[in-house]
Amino acid sequence: MVSADQPAPDVARAHRAVEPLHNQVYFSPEQDEYLTAIGLRPGRMCYFAGRAAAMGAVGPGAVVATFANFAPSLVARHVPRAWTLATPEQVLAARLDGARASLTRLLGGAEAAAAPEVAELAGLLREACGVLTAEGRPLYAGHADQPWPEEPVLSLWHGATLLREHRGDGHVAGLVRAGLTGLESLVTHTLTGRGFTAAAARATRGWSEEEWDAACAALTGRGLVADGGLTDEGRRLRAEVEAGTDALSATPWLHLGPERTARAVELGRALSARLVANGAYPAGMFSGR
């Protein structure tokens, strides 16, 4: 948490600079390639098993709870079946191979993946993660139990993963406190104009149009949504959730301090921009803001 005698870093800016270095794997062909090679089915199963494997052979309830905004029916089609096809240990090893391959390609090849700026940012993220704690952070805790890779490009990916899952666990806690279900959280987030478009959110998270409309009706009844957009109360609630998320994920950046956080942001933004320029994300997936 941010203490009274320390200046608050721009946590959201730091997060946005670094997260693409992790989340590009969810859109990369390499992840499916390596995970299907060990027996998983392509697509959603690779995503659910790949991200959940650090927690062990968990059931669908644990995945729904920690991932927060996926339709339970979608999760149940792939978990626990995934663990009958490959062990969590096999999944984790294949996921690392896929992350190495996708980052290497998107950064511009083996030489670019071994560049000094990659190792420098990896070192900064490793130090930042050194002050994170696991209480109330199940996804983070699972990934934090994994050995820290020494290869710079994988160390970079692991650091970005830990920061992302630690922040995500805190974000889920904030959404629960705000009284938002996983689906309602997704609907209100798309209405902020950030992140997924509504069509992409429904498609990737497995919600039917009827379920989406029912959530919109419930949010309208609470005064959070009106005429297809967030009300003032809806915007206030979302702002509170985001501010709380920033506060709960400020510790690593406070530890680095202003200068090294600024350097991490500079390096992260440059590397993330390279990923985007090299086609890391499908067109039309995210809104313009």
Side-chain angles (χ1 to χ4, degrees), residues 183 186-188 190-191 197-203 205 207-219:
L183 176 52
L186 192 60
V187 171
T188 54
T190 62
L191 292 177
T197 63
R202 285 198 302 271
R205 267 53 184 167
W207 300 103
S208 68
E209 188 172 349
E210 293 75 19
E211 290 169 323
W212 191 273
D213 290 345
C216 289
L219 291 165

Side-chain angles (χ1 to χ4, degrees), residues 71-152:
S73 59
L74 176 63
V75 175
R77 289 203 291 271
H78 303 288
V79 176
R81 184 176 177 232
W83 314 127
T84 70
L85 303 174
T87 66
E89 293 76 17
Q90 290 175 311
V91 171
L92 288 169
R95 194 178 192 228
L96 272 181
D97 289 338
R100 178 196 294 110
S102 61
L103 267 179
T104 298
R105 171 178 59 84
L106 292 168
L107 288 172
E111 185 175 346
E117 59 266 29
V118 171
E120 182 184 357
L121 182 55
L124 287 169
L125 299 188
R126 185 166 187 169
E127 182 170 350
C129 290
V131 297
L132 298 178
T133 57
E135 291 85 355
R137 316 269 186 161
L139 262 178
Y140 160 76
H143 289 281
D145 279 344
Q146 307 311 309
W148 199 290
E150 294 301 327
E151 185 181 345

